[in-house]
Amino acid sequence: MTMPASNDADRADPDAELLLRYAQGDAAAARLLTVQLTPRIFGHAYRVLGDGAEAEDVTQDALMRLWKIAPDWRIGEAKVSTWLYRVVANLCTDRLRKRGRGVALEDIAEPADPTESAEARLQRGARQEALQTALDELPDRQRQAVVLRHIDGLANPEIAAILDIGVEAVESLTARGKRALAKRLGGQRDALGYDDDKT
């Protein structure tokens, strides 16, 4: 496969160029693409699944699927990141179906930041735990839409492509999910120290 000339699709999706270079045997392109994509898809999987080990498995599985389709990738049909998020979303949905709802909070390890004070670390952990608990209570599709929009920061059209639904459905899912989270977390504002924040 010869690499196509640079065009608007290449500029719109720089990951596609790296993927094509990988398909031609460029190991450095694969490493760079992995470094760029792994934190985003791991973060999404972790937020949806609430389990670091499962999120690592999903991330690895999704990247393996990306490497397998690399030789057949056609620039312009889909963005690499959109395709990869969709694979991760499907893998997460499969895992959620297999294990049933929720994960015990004590099983979710919270990474510590050594530069934070103990109080700040505890506060951050409590907030993340409260958010994860509230996310776990949302229906699966709402949770995925909320995580993709409000945590991963993706635009509604990209989320629609990932979840294979219309943009209006994405807007509805994220709005309902956001309202449900606000309702679940609203009564914990004082306990989570939001009224103490100076910023």
Side-chain angles (χ1 to χ4, degrees):
M1 175 187 287
T2 59
M3 189 179 326
S6 180
N7 57 29
D8 289 341
D10 288 330
R11 286 188 290 279
D13 187 14
D15 295 334
E17 182 182 340
L18 290 173
L19 189 62
L20 291 176
R21 284 175 39 201
Y22 162 75
Q24 294 173 343
D26 186 344
R31 284 191 297 274
L32 182 57
L33 197 55
T34 301
V35 166
Q36 290 175 352
L37 296 174
T38 298
R40 288 187 282 164
I41 62 173
F42 173 81
H44 176 71
Y46 179 80
R47 282 290 178 206
V48 171
L49 298 171
D51 181 278
E54 279 193 296
E56 286 178 13
D57 289 346
V58 164
T59 300
Q60 185 175 23
D61 192 1
L63 287 172
M64 291 304 296
R65 292 176 188 211
L66 181 63
W67 304 140
K68 285 180 185 175
I69 61 99
D72 301 319
W73 188 262
R74 290 188 295 265
I75 289 181
E77 287 189 13
K79 285 180 67 176
V80 171
S81 60
T82 301
W83 183 90
L84 195 56
Y85 268 115
R86 187 168 185 180
V87 169
V88 170
N90 290 336
L91 290 170
C92 288
T93 298
D94 291 345
R95 284 179 177 260
L96 289 169
R97 284 185 185 140
K98 285 179 185 175
R99 75 174 184 194
R101 295 292 311 217
V103 173
L105 290 177
E106 57 270 9
D107 292 340
I108 300 174
E110 202 57 56
D113 181 356
T115 62
E116 288 182 303
S117 69
E119 181 181 355
R121 189 170 56 251
L122 289 171
Q123 193 75 50
R124 181 178 53 81
R127 290 174 180 177
Q128 288 177 342
E129 189 174 292
L131 176 61
Q132 189 63 52
T133 299
L135 283 169
D136 286 344
E137 293 172 1
L138 294 179
D140 294 343
R141 297 290 272 185
Q142 272 185 30
R143 183 183 332 150
Q144 288 205 359
V146 167
V147 169
L148 286 167
R149 180 71 184 103
H150 295 292
I151 296 175
D152 295 336
L154 300 183
N156 287 346
E158 191 169 5
I159 297 168
I162 291 166
L163 298 180
D164 197 23
I165 58 177
V167 172
E168 288 181 5
V170 170
E171 292 168 355
S172 175
L173 284 171
T174 55
R176 286 183 310 193
K178 193 174 172 182
R179 281 193 303 270
L181 287 175
K183 185 177 178 182
R184 286 176 172 88
L185 295 171
Q188 301 179 51
R189 189 168 180 80
D190 290 340
L192 295 174
Y194 284 106
D195 292 335
D196 298 337
D197 286 350
K198 305 292 188 277
T199 59

